[in-house]
Amino acid sequence: MSILDILNDRQREAAKQIEGPVLILAGAGSGKTKTITHRIAYMIKELGISPYNILAVTFTNKAAKEMKERVEFLAGEDGKRVMLSTFHSFALRLLRIFGDRLGYSSNFTIYDVDDQKKVIKDIIKSIGRKDDKNLKERDIASKISKAKEDKITPEEFESLHQYDNGKIVAEIYRRYNSVLKNNNAMDFSDILVNADKLLDLKDILSKVQEKFIYIMVDEYQDTNKIQYEIVNKIASKYRNLCVVGDENQSIYGFRGANIENILNFEKDYKDAKVVKLEENYRSTSVILDAANAVIKNNKSSKDKNLWTNRGTGEKIIIEECNDAREEAQYVAMEIIKGKATGKRYRDFTILYRTNAQSRMFEEKFLRENIPYKIFGTVSFYQRIEIKDIIGYLSVINNTDDNLNLNRILNVPKRKIGDKTFEKIENFAKDQNISIFEAIGRAHEIGDLSANLKTTLLDFYNMLKDFIILSEQMPVSELYDEIVKKIGYKDYLTSSYDDYENRIENIEELKNSIVELEKVLENMTLRDYLENVSLISATDDLDGEKDYVKLMTIHNSKGLEFPVVFLVGAEDELFPGAKAEFDPKEEEEERRLCYVAITRAEDKLYITYANSRFMYGQIDNFRSQSRFIREIPTQLVMTNKAEVKPKPAIRNSYDNSGFKKMITIDDLNKRAKDFPYSKGEKVLHKKFGMGIVKDVNDKKVTINFVDGTKEIAMAVADKFLTKA
């Protein structure tokens, strides 16, 4: 009996094609992971190919972990020897081994987006442009990353951007590269760019090619220019390249993903074998028919047609709501009804186009006591208290990491300000030593008080002790030593009103370290920091915990849910306004809709509102998304007479004929009553039970046990529930 017997005909055809280039066009829910993992096991167990010669790359830790587990189950111990990782993890392995060829030591630090912004902010300040509102750290970080991934140098960037601050951004780009190199640090773009540079060195490329004779790439439609070049350089010798993907799920163009990579694979490899996987095992035929109908409007689609044996299923429910608050009310009530019929909260997922849409649902779920979790907003690892502890660990691993050194120097408070750090920096430059070494020689730095010199030396010696301990004990025990030695819990208690939540967070960090130690045998500090740096927005999604999941459609890719609410399906929101003027933008938005629809297993709701706050104003003339109108009417059910655009109000035009935007103040003046009344009991998240003393359109005044508090009406719903 063959390992491949369990596959369907098309999957088996794809898995059996081992030699030469292969393109597997795998539709949503068509069992691509099953096909890939059985293909690898077949290569090892039945064809006798060495697992050490197989490289398989994907995009998320979650996907890589699932694939590893399946391969190990199918191929046993040999399965553990396959290099199966994310693109960034693979690139990091190359850089840890060969990074010295580019001037990096093996313990380099990886900077995340917040770290990038901090470096850029300091550079803007140093060149005297700190008050320039046109220089936003996040925008500049994005431009630098894009330039790196497109192999554009600072000099080329300057010549390509003669206007729009091109010269100053190019200078920031130059200095940014210099800071990272001096700190022995890389950002996420550097990881791929530098790995690609290593493969330009013939001796290294030859070693990599001889090791990885068979290459598989998952989610090929999401590859960018650098990833494309890395893959094709390694594959160029033996040409045993198998790429798996779905052009209809290419939704990361804004991150640099190039759909042309998958569309042009047959041009790049004219002898490629092409196999389409079209049988879907996830969704009902109603859901698939809707997805097929929407995506066929894209010119970039390769004419796949998803089908299933699961049965017809329930019709898609289209719900028209007056406004976003009613939309949240409708979704909450449907969840409550579903719960009453035996469903669990974890069966329900809400997908939206932008993170800002989650607020109404959060407020409503709090009122209705519906447990929920939001994925992909503020990452656990971006919280201040987590960044502090990770900062200590990063400096212990890499003492050249001046960004994190500056962060922890005054955490907890040591009365070390920016001016002191500037003096340390100047001393380090004068002596041609690192800032860490300069702190260790604080007694030589003039114009510092005796107390400050002692504080700096104590800090230096403490870190030296931690470095020694990091080589002798597990990361979890090192964590304990750091938290205890610096008195971090006491610091949180004295510094933050919500200290209890913050202490819970750092305790959860300890749990994450212990869990990873169980998975990675003999995990080093460097191993841990590397894993933390590559965590994605939905890696902590736990299918067993009973809560409603809320996330953007982008974050839902690769996942599946029994019941999906696709909310905010209105033109100018989904698709966004740019789609009106850019056909490529409209096609990517349509692919995003296809992804959203195909996340649903059993039931799909699509909601839209006639009125919604947008950019601080209310638009009373919303219309349902064009994507709704692309779904055949026989597949949908609605409480309204028909599915078509229908504005809520038609009597608020100004004399010029343009839409009149109603402001928040207008609404307050028109309000007949307020959400709270005098004498009413309310419950505040922080202050506890209280009684409303006074209320108007600006604020609500409440008597609590600890005194009277005034809460702005605009944010009252976030903190108050009626008792």
Side-chain angles (χ1 to χ4, degrees), residues 122 191 227 388 392 400 425 462:
D122 290 343
I191 293 170
Q227 289 159 336
D388 286 345
Y392 269 93
D400 289 330
E425 274 187 308
M462 177 182 69

Side-chain angles (χ1 to χ4, degrees), residues 138-229:
R138 180 176 287 278
D139 291 343
I140 294 172
S142 178
K143 287 177 181 178
I144 291 173
S145 293
K146 178 102 172 40
K148 286 182 179 181
E149 290 171 6
D150 287 340
K151 292 189 170 184
I152 296 172
T153 65
E155 292 70 30
E156 290 168 336
F157 183 93
E158 184 173 347
S159 66
L160 289 169
H161 299 82
Q162 296 292 326
Y163 306 100
D164 190 28
N165 281 322
K167 187 172 183 179
I168 191 68
V169 172
E171 178 61 23
I172 294 169
Y173 183 6
R174 270 188 287 270
R175 296 195 186 200
Y176 172 82
N177 282 347
S178 178
V179 169
L180 263 64
K181 195 66 179 287
N182 290 337
N183 288 4
N184 191 33
M186 299 185 199
D187 60 27
F188 286 107
S189 296
D190 286 327
I191 293 170
L192 296 176
V193 170
N194 287 332
D196 185 53
K197 286 179 182 177
L198 287 177
L199 295 174
D200 286 333
L201 304 176
K202 290 184 179 179
D203 60 323
I204 293 176
L205 176 60
S206 179
K207 287 178 183 177
V208 175
Q209 287 176 329
E210 289 304 321
K211 178 166 176 57
F212 300 117
I213 297 171
Y214 298 91
I215 305 163
M216 297 185 68
V217 184
D218 186 25
E219 305 288 8
Y220 193 64
Q221 78 280 349
D222 293 335
T223 52
N224 61 23
K225 181 177 181 178
I226 295 290
Q227 289 159 336
Y228 170 85
E229 293 195 4

Side-chain angles (χ1 to χ4, degrees), residues 295-307:
I295 203 63
K296 75 177 183 181
N297 293 287
N298 270 7
K299 293 179 181 178
S300 61
S301 182
K302 278 183 170 281
D303 196 32
K304 289 191 306 301
N305 198 60
L306 295 180
W307 60 276

Side-chain angles (χ1 to χ4, degrees), residues 289-483:
D289 289 348
N292 288 331
V294 170
I295 203 63
K296 75 177 183 181
N297 293 287
N298 270 7
K299 293 179 181 178
S300 61
S301 182
K302 278 183 170 281
D303 196 32
K304 289 191 306 301
N305 198 60
L306 295 180
W307 60 276
T308 185
N309 282 319
R310 279 202 61 204
T312 304
E314 297 184 54
K315 286 189 176 184
I316 297 166
I317 297 177
I318 309 290
E319 184 67 20
E320 177 186 350
C321 304
N322 287 324
D323 54 30
R325 196 172 294 277
E326 184 179 290
E327 182 180 49
Q329 166 79 10
Y330 171 76
V331 171
M333 292 305 103
E334 287 300 302
I335 290 171
I336 291 170
K337 282 186 213 172
K339 190 77 168 55
T341 62
K343 284 188 170 63
R344 299 155 298 185
Y345 289 119
R346 66 176 184 247
D347 293 332
F348 300 95
T349 299
I350 299 171
L351 303 181
Y352 36 75
R353 182 63 182 83
T354 65
N355 278 311
Q357 291 170 256
S358 69
R359 184 178 66 84
M360 285 291 185
F361 297 98
E362 288 186 78
E363 293 176 3
K364 186 61 185 174
F365 290 175
L366 283 170
R367 288 197 192 97
E368 300 295 341
N369 292 317
I370 296 174
Y372 69 90
K373 183 171 181 179
I374 298 177
F375 293 87
T377 50
V378 178
S379 164
F380 176 79
Y381 290 95
Q382 298 303 320
R383 293 169 184 169
I384 291 172
E385 59 276 15
I386 303 302
K387 293 279 280 185
D388 286 345
I389 302 299
I390 296 293
Y392 269 93
L393 293 172
S394 295
V395 173
I396 292 165
N397 176 65
N398 172 20
T399 55
D400 289 330
D401 184 358
N402 295 329
L403 180 72
N404 277 307
L405 186 57
N406 191 9
R407 179 186 187 93
I408 66 174
L409 194 55
N410 209 31
V411 175
K413 301 293 184 186
R414 298 185 178 94
K415 297 182 179 178
I416 303 171
D418 291 340
K419 288 185 178 179
T420 300
F421 191 76
E422 193 175 319
K423 291 174 184 177
I424 298 168
E425 274 187 308
N426 291 335
F427 179 78
K429 287 176 185 175
D430 291 341
Q431 299 297 314
N432 195 27
I433 58 176
S434 70
I435 291 176
F436 181 72
E437 290 177 271
I439 292 171
R441 291 167 57 181
H443 58 285
E444 300 177 36
I445 303 175
D447 200 23
L448 290 182
S449 69
N451 286 341
L452 201 49
K453 289 178 180 180
T454 301
T455 299
L456 289 168
L457 285 170
D458 287 345
F459 174 78
Y460 174 82
N461 289 326
M462 177 182 69
L463 284 179
K464 292 287 282 186
D465 289 341
F466 286 151
I467 291 168
I468 294 169
L469 290 174
S470 71
E471 297 166 354
Q472 300 172 349
M473 59 174 52
V475 181
S476 56
E477 292 181 19
L478 177 64
Y479 162 92
D480 288 335
E481 288 293 325
I482 294 170
V483 171

Side-chain angles (χ1 to χ4, degrees), residues 569-571 608-610 621-626 629 645-647:
E570 302 142 28
D571 280 339
Y608 66 97
N610 293 318
F621 302 95
R622 311 293 296 168
S623 62
Q624 65 173 212
S625 170
R626 70 196 67 176
R629 302 193 290 276
K646 183 181 177 184

